[in-house]
């Protein structure tokens, strides 16, 4: 069996895990009810008291929390511990509305770093490794989480943050980094820059990458694995629940094991809120059962995925979640059709293009328009205008087959789409759909 960070927990029987979760949930509900007036009010409105929650089987009785609740309660309304016991905040990137601010006690940070240590161990990390962390630091959870997890494992940690890609590659070569942690789009850019600098994967010592914070496809995984000569693993988390390390991939690469001793997952119907059985696609909901300062109960992530208890070859018994298949709120509805950027990315990589693209949605004469700008490779851009036009037509046909609607495809020059060092911006929606 592969090395496991905490075998007692990660390989625990389902019966024992359910018992542990139930004990922690009962305690957590009481803690939240007594210390968070905002959530007490939600429970009272629903007619639920802490004594109604006796085990995980009663979880469905609790009210949901949404991002709107977090904004309404900003900044201190969901705090469950005195500020004097909190030692840190982290925050979302705040692309819409107020930022989400999450609070941590020292114990919260220790448990979060432990979850990240599990993720690093799952990709083969030990104290012999050099872990290069290129997630953003500061308020963003990516850098601090993986940095702390890397320390716990005992890796030599390079706290690079994102940006200055040539320096990243210099350190990668000179210090012989073996594990890379960053967003998948930045990993793809590092691979591209490595090639541009005249290096090949044989010139670096990387063996594994831990990539998360944005959606990415299996096709993009294979592309990154090839460009960097590594195995690329997924990691998942939200600032609201602590950060990366809520779940992580093992060597099987068939979904991410959820750290169920800290987070109870549910899949619900996004329309009705009804809990769905394992194996059904729906919206992922998390309940934090060990967080002290900022414990969210039944938090709706808006991520669409599937849960599975299928036995895993790595030996872990923790339930797995699939890669998020899109978001129930960020999904684009174009001419009545549900469109996810990941579908477009799949088509591009299958057709031999890079995963550098920009989707522009607009509304003209009351009709939605979908334009997809796609970067060509240097070889493709050297072709004549007629050949490029033919390529655009072929891509449009392939996308129509995948999406069910006609996009306009524009092939653009190599490196003309702005590269992201954090989360990639893939969509510009110019429609005035809200006030």
């Amino acid at each position: 069996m592969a090395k496991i960070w905490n075998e007692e927990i990660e390989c625990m029987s389902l019966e024992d895990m359910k018992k542990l979760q139930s004990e922690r949930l009962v305690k957590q509900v009481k803690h939240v009810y007594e210390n968070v007036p905002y959530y007490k009010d939600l429970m009272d409105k629903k007619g639920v008291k802490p004594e109604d929650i006796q085990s995980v089987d009663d979880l469905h009785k609790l009210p949901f929390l949404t991002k709107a609740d977090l904004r309404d309660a900003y900044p201190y309304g969901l705090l469950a511990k005195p500020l004097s016991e909190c030692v840190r905040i982290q925050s979302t990137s705040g692309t819409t509305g107020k930022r989400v601010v999450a609070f941590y006690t020292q114990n919260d940070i220790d448990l979060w770093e432990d979850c990240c240590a599990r993720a690093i161990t799952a990709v083969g990390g030990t104290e012999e490794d050099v872990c290069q962390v290129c997630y953003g630091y500061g308020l963003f959870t990516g850098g601090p989480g993986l940095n702390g997890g890397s320390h716990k494992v005992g890796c030599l940690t390079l706290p690079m943050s994102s940006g200055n890609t040539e320096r990243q590659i210099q350190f990668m070569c000179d210090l012989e980094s073996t594990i890379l942690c960053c967003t998948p789009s930045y990993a793809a850019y590092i691979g591209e820059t490595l090639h541009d600098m005249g290096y090949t994967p044989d010139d670096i010592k990387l063996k594994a990458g831990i990539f998360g914070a944005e959606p990415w496809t299996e096709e993009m995984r294979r592309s990154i694995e090839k460009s960097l000569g590594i195995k690329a693993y997924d990691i998942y988390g939200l600032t609201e629940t602590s950060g990366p390390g809520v779940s992580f991939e093992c060597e099987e690469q068939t979904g991410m094991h959820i750290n169920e001793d800290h987070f109870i997952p549910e899949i619900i119907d996004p329309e009705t809120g009804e809990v769905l059985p394992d194996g059904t696609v729906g919206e992922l909901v998390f309940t934090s059962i060990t967080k002290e300062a900022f414990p969210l109960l039944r938090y709706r992530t808006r991520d669409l995925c599937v849960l599975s208890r299928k036995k895993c070859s790595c030996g872990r018994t923790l339930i797995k979640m699939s890669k998020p298949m899109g978001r129930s709120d960020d999904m684009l509805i174009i001419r009545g059709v549900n469109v996810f950027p990941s579908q477009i990315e799949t088509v591009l990589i299958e057709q031999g293009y890079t995963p550098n693209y920009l989707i522009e949605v607009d509304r003209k004469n009351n009709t939605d328009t979908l334009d997809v700008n796609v970067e060509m490779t240097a070889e493709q851009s050297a072709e004549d205008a007629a050949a490029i036009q033919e390529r655009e037509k072929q891509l449009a046909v392939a996308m129509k087959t995948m999406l069910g609607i006609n996009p306009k495809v524009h092939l653009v020059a190599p490196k003309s789409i702005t590269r992201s060092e954090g989360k990639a911006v893939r969509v510009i929606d110019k429609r005035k759909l809200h006030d």
Side-chain angles (χ1 to χ4, degrees):
M1 192 163 69
K3 192 171 185 296
I4 291 174
W5 176 251
N6 185 339
E7 201 165 320
E8 186 190 346
I9 292 288
E10 294 177 66
C11 302
M12 188 178 270
S13 72
L14 181 56
E15 188 185 346
D16 286 347
M17 180 60 78
K18 197 171 172 185
K19 192 177 164 206
L20 177 67
Q21 287 179 329
S22 295
E23 284 168 8
R24 289 179 170 179
L25 176 65
V26 169
K27 194 176 163 190
Q28 187 73 295
V29 170
K30 189 170 182 290
H31 171 58
V32 170
Y33 190 81
E34 290 173 358
N35 293 289
V36 184
Y38 188 97
Y39 199 76
K40 177 184 184 292
D41 187 46
L42 289 180
M43 282 178 67
D44 288 347
K45 279 179 186 161
K46 209 176 175 198
V48 189
K49 293 279 182 264
E51 51 270 26
D52 297 329
I53 310 301
Q54 299 292 319
S55 78
V56 287
D57 295 330
D58 298 319
L59 188 59
H60 68 278
K61 297 176 184 175
L62 292 169
F64 292 114
L65 271 175
T66 65
K67 198 161 246 186
D69 289 309
L70 270 60
R71 291 193 185 114
D72 290 346
Y74 173 90
Y76 296 128
L78 288 166
L79 192 58
K81 283 280 188 182
L83 266 183
S84 59
E85 290 182 38
C86 298
V87 297
R88 194 196 297 175
I89 67 149
Q90 302 284 166
S91 176
T92 57
S93 47
T95 46
T96 56
K98 285 178 187 166
R99 284 175 169 270
V100 170
V101 174
F103 299 84
Y104 300 74
T105 62
Q106 187 56 51
N107 187 54
D108 290 336
I109 288 173
D110 290 341
L111 294 180
W112 174 27
E113 291 179 350
D114 195 77
C115 287
C116 289
R118 293 181 193 181
I120 291 167
T121 306
V123 308
T126 70
E127 66 278 0
E128 303 295 326
D129 281 287
V130 179
C131 187
Q132 185 160 336
V133 183
C134 312
Y135 285 110
Y137 280 67
L139 290 170
F140 181 59
T141 56
L146 271 306
N147 191 88
S150 175
H151 278 225
K152 280 212 165 184
V153 173
C155 305
L156 175 64
T157 310
L158 310 187
M160 302 290 293
S161 195
S162 59
N164 203 332
T165 308
E166 292 196 0
R167 186 182 65 186
Q168 299 272 11
I169 291 168
Q170 185 191 337
F171 269 76
M172 196 179 285
C173 294
D174 296 348
L175 292 165
E176 301 188 339
S177 306
T178 53
I179 298 171
L180 175 66
C181 305
C182 61
T183 60
S185 53
Y186 192 46
Y189 184 43
I190 289 173
E192 198 180 305
T193 309
L194 188 81
H195 175 79
D196 291 348
M197 288 170 72
Y199 293 115
T200 72
D202 293 337
D203 296 312
I204 55 174
K205 292 280 196 295
L206 284 185
K207 64 179 184 182
I210 299 176
F211 307 132
E214 64 188 15
W216 54 308
T217 58
E218 284 302 313
E219 291 78 12
M220 189 169 181
R221 185 208 299 266
R222 302 294 162 231
S223 171
I224 291 169
E225 288 186 332
K226 191 177 171 190
S227 73
L228 291 172
I230 59 172
K231 274 193 86 169
Y233 298 89
D234 214 340
I235 191 168
Y236 176 89
L238 307 137
T239 302
E240 298 92 317
T241 54
S242 67
V246 170
S247 66
F248 59 90
E249 265 189 329
C250 63
E251 64 209 8
E252 202 178 88
Q253 293 179 302
T254 56
M256 291 172 274
H257 291 286
I258 295 171
N259 285 312
E260 293 181 89
D261 53 323
H262 300 297
F263 311 100
I264 302 175
E266 300 171 274
I267 292 287
I268 63 163
D269 180 317
E271 300 297 321
T272 66
E274 177 200 356
V275 179
L276 302 173
D278 292 351
T280 314
V281 178
E283 183 185 334
L284 184 61
V285 172
F286 275 120
T287 295
S288 297
I289 49 175
T290 54
K291 284 283 293 279
E292 295 177 338
F294 197 69
L296 301 188
L297 306 182
R298 299 200 86 200
Y299 180 67
R300 295 185 61 164
T301 67
R302 296 293 179 187
D303 283 323
L304 300 173
C305 71
V306 176
L307 296 179
S308 167
R309 288 237 174 242
K310 193 177 165 195
K311 194 174 177 186
C312 186
S313 61
C314 76
R316 290 175 183 82
T317 51
L318 299 170
I319 197 168
K320 275 184 181 174
M321 60 178 273
S322 67
K323 261 183 187 302
M325 299 162 178
R327 289 176 60 80
S328 58
D329 57 351
D330 289 352
M331 175 179 72
L332 293 162
I333 301 177
I334 302 170
R335 294 173 230 152
V337 176
N338 297 347
V339 173
F340 294 106
S342 57
Q343 293 173 300
I344 288 171
E345 187 173 293
T346 296
V347 171
L348 294 181
I349 295 177
E350 278 177 353
Q351 301 281 329
Y353 294 86
T354 68
N356 297 310
Y357 61 95
L358 185 66
I359 299 164
E360 293 186 48
V361 187
D362 207 343
R363 183 162 286 174
K364 288 170 186 166
N365 302 323
N366 295 318
T367 303
D368 292 336
T369 61
L370 173 61
D371 288 76
V372 185
N373 301 301
V374 180
E375 261 188 28
M376 291 180 279
T377 62
E379 294 77 18
Q380 290 162 350
S381 67
E383 294 173 3
D384 62 30
I388 290 172
Q389 206 170 8
E390 184 55 35
R391 279 183 174 279
E392 288 175 336
K393 278 188 200 161
Q394 288 169 355
L395 257 186
V397 169
M399 283 184 198
K400 185 180 185 222
T401 304
M402 171 68 87
L403 306 173
I405 55 170
N406 268 318
K408 267 195 177 167
V409 175
H410 311 277
L411 288 174
V412 299
K415 298 193 171 48
S416 60
I417 292 174
T418 306
R419 296 295 188 270
S420 167
E421 291 167 351
K423 291 192 184 189
V425 176
R426 300 292 194 204
V427 181
I428 297 173
D429 194 339
K430 299 174 180 172
R431 295 174 295 180
K432 300 284 184 283
L433 300 180
H434 306 285
D435 294 332

